[in-house]
Structures are given as C-alpha cells and as structure tokens.
Amino acid sequence: MKKMPIFWTILLIVVAVFYFTHTDSYIIVIIFLIFYFRKYSQIQTYNRKIKQLETELPLCTNLYEKAKIWNKIINKETNMEFVKYAWQQIQSSIIKNGIVAQNIKTPVAVGKKCYYTTSVGIVKQRTANGKKYFDIKNAEPATLYIFEDTMEWIAQGHRTIPISRIIKINISTDYKLVSFILRNEAASINFYSTEAKIIQCIIPLIQKERM
C-alpha cells in the first residue's frame, strides 16, 4: 500500500505555518490544497485497486480466471505503475500455483494436453525508411493453442512449432506484443494480444516441465 510522500506532509506543515503568519495568502493555500488533495486522491485510488486485486486474485481457480483479471487491467488501466505491480502479482500466482492442462473441445486439441488458448493477431515485422516496425494494424486474426510440446495457431492455415525451439521471448513496453525467437530462424513470430504477458509466462513453465 502507498502512503502520502513525506515531502507533501512537510510541505503541508510549511504552508499551514505560512498561512497563519501571512493571513493574506489564502489564494496560495487554496492552490496548494487543491494539488495536495489531488495527490491524496490518487494514492487512495491506487490503494483501492491494490486491495481489490489482492482480494480477487486468491479466489481464481485457474489460469483463465487470472487472465480475465489481467485483461480488465491491461484494457482499462492508465497508471502503468499499477499495471506493473498487478502483473507481478498475477505472474507470481501463476508460477506458485503452476499451470494445469484443460480439456479443449476443438479438433486441433483432440488427444493433446492444452494449457492455454486465446485469440491473437499475427503480426509481421516490416521495414520502412530503413527502420523496422511491427505492422499491428494489419495483424491477421488467429486462434493460438499452447500444448505440452507445441505452440499452434489457426488463421487461414494451421501452423505448428515445437516449444523446444523457442530460445527467447520478447515483450513490448505496452505488454501487448509478444515475439518468439526460434532456433535456426532469422525472423521472429509475433502475436498481438492483451494476453501477451500470460503467453510469455506460460511457455517457460512448460519448457521447464519438459526438461
């Protein structure tokens, strides 16, 4: 939980003393109080969000419920400090409780242990004016499946890669683009999704289990 920074408390005392020794300074005091209570309100809001997260997260019984909480945060939250804190807590919960294969009723998952499935956008990396960029606007919709040995996705076609070939996973600063670097492959595989961090977290856990 956050507390009001000591700087603001000291400043409040200084302003109070200034007000009582300069009775004509009420405008300065009012301006300060507006900023003070704005800061106080921000901290209280931050703390309420933390309390809500700490209440909801332990009630989650599976990975999809944790992903639902994460989706709500990543889609609506503008305070990146809270987003980072929330992900640390969700990631810790996923690692602590482990991941369990689910029964997915779809032909591609028949006879396979499926740890996760979600909608993603397949993103190509392009070059313009000598600079590389991810073409998110033209991402191809797909359904991603993460099995115990493979990562598969279905769009216009069906592609499969062994999880053992994944040697590095990168994530964008907004937490919505995950890139997989494969052994003996020059180009990365890129997915755009609000659940990119969930995907990034799952793969190493499966790799660890398969060692």
Side-chain angles (χ1 to χ4, degrees):
M1 293 288 185
K2 269 190 173 185
K3 294 182 178 180
M4 198 67 177
I6 189 67
F7 166 79
W8 281 92
T9 304
I10 294 173
L11 197 56
L12 179 63
I13 295 172
V14 170
V15 170
V17 172
F18 183 79
Y19 173 74
F20 285 111
T21 56
H22 301 74
T23 55
D24 59 343
S25 61
Y26 66 92
I27 295 178
I28 296 175
V29 173
I30 290 173
I31 292 173
F32 170 77
L33 289 176
I34 290 172
F35 281 100
Y36 180 87
F37 284 109
R38 180 181 178 185
K39 181 67 176 179
Y40 178 80
S41 177
Q42 289 173 346
I43 291 175
Q44 291 300 106
T45 299
Y46 184 91
N47 288 339
R48 281 197 298 271
K49 290 175 182 177
I50 289 179
K51 188 174 181 180
Q52 182 179 0
L53 175 66
E54 292 177 345
T55 300
E56 292 179 351
L57 193 55
L59 300 177
C60 294
T61 59
N62 58 58
L63 186 57
Y64 290 95
E65 291 179 359
K66 293 171 186 177
K68 186 177 180 179
I69 292 176
W70 173 244
N71 261 315
K72 183 170 64 176
I73 293 170
I74 198 68
N75 282 321
K76 297 182 179 180
E77 185 57 55
T78 57
N79 186 335
M80 283 307 294
E81 182 182 358
F82 176 72
V83 171
K84 290 177 182 178
Y85 173 84
W87 173 247
Q88 289 173 354
Q89 300 307 305
I90 293 171
Q91 182 183 41
S92 177
S93 177
I94 293 172
I95 293 173
K96 179 181 178 181
N97 298 318
I99 52 177
V100 180
Q102 304 286 322
N103 292 321
I104 306 298
K105 296 180 180 180
T106 185
V108 71
V110 173
K112 300 177 183 178
K113 292 183 178 180
C114 185
Y115 286 98
Y116 201 66
T117 180
T118 188
S119 298
V120 299
I122 305 170
V123 179
K124 293 183 178 180
Q125 191 173 37
R126 304 185 189 280
T127 303
N129 299 321
K131 294 182 179 180
K132 291 183 178 181
Y133 71 99
F134 292 103
D135 189 9
I136 295 173
K137 289 184 178 180
N138 294 307
E140 180 184 3
T143 302
L144 176 69
Y145 298 89
I146 300 176
F147 299 115
E148 60 178 336
D149 294 311
T150 61
M151 184 169 69
E152 305 182 24
W153 57 98
I154 298 176
Q156 293 184 359
H158 179 185
R159 187 174 174 188
T160 301
I161 61 167
I163 287 179
S164 59
R165 287 189 59 200
I166 299 172
I167 58 175
K168 187 178 181 181
I169 307 174
N170 296 325
I171 197 84
S172 60
T173 54
D174 66 355
Y175 293 174
K176 294 180 180 179
L177 181 74
V178 60
S179 299
F180 296 93
I181 311 300
L182 307 181
R183 186 179 292 107
N184 300 324
E185 287 280 351
S188 62
I189 294 173
N190 316 296
F191 297 126
Y192 184 80
S193 170
T194 54
E195 297 173 31
K197 288 293 285 183
I198 300 288
I199 298 167
Q200 180 198 27
C201 180
I202 295 172
I203 297 298
L205 294 178
I206 296 175
Q207 288 177 324
K208 188 177 180 180
E209 284 187 0
R210 302 301 292 171
M211 286 182 178

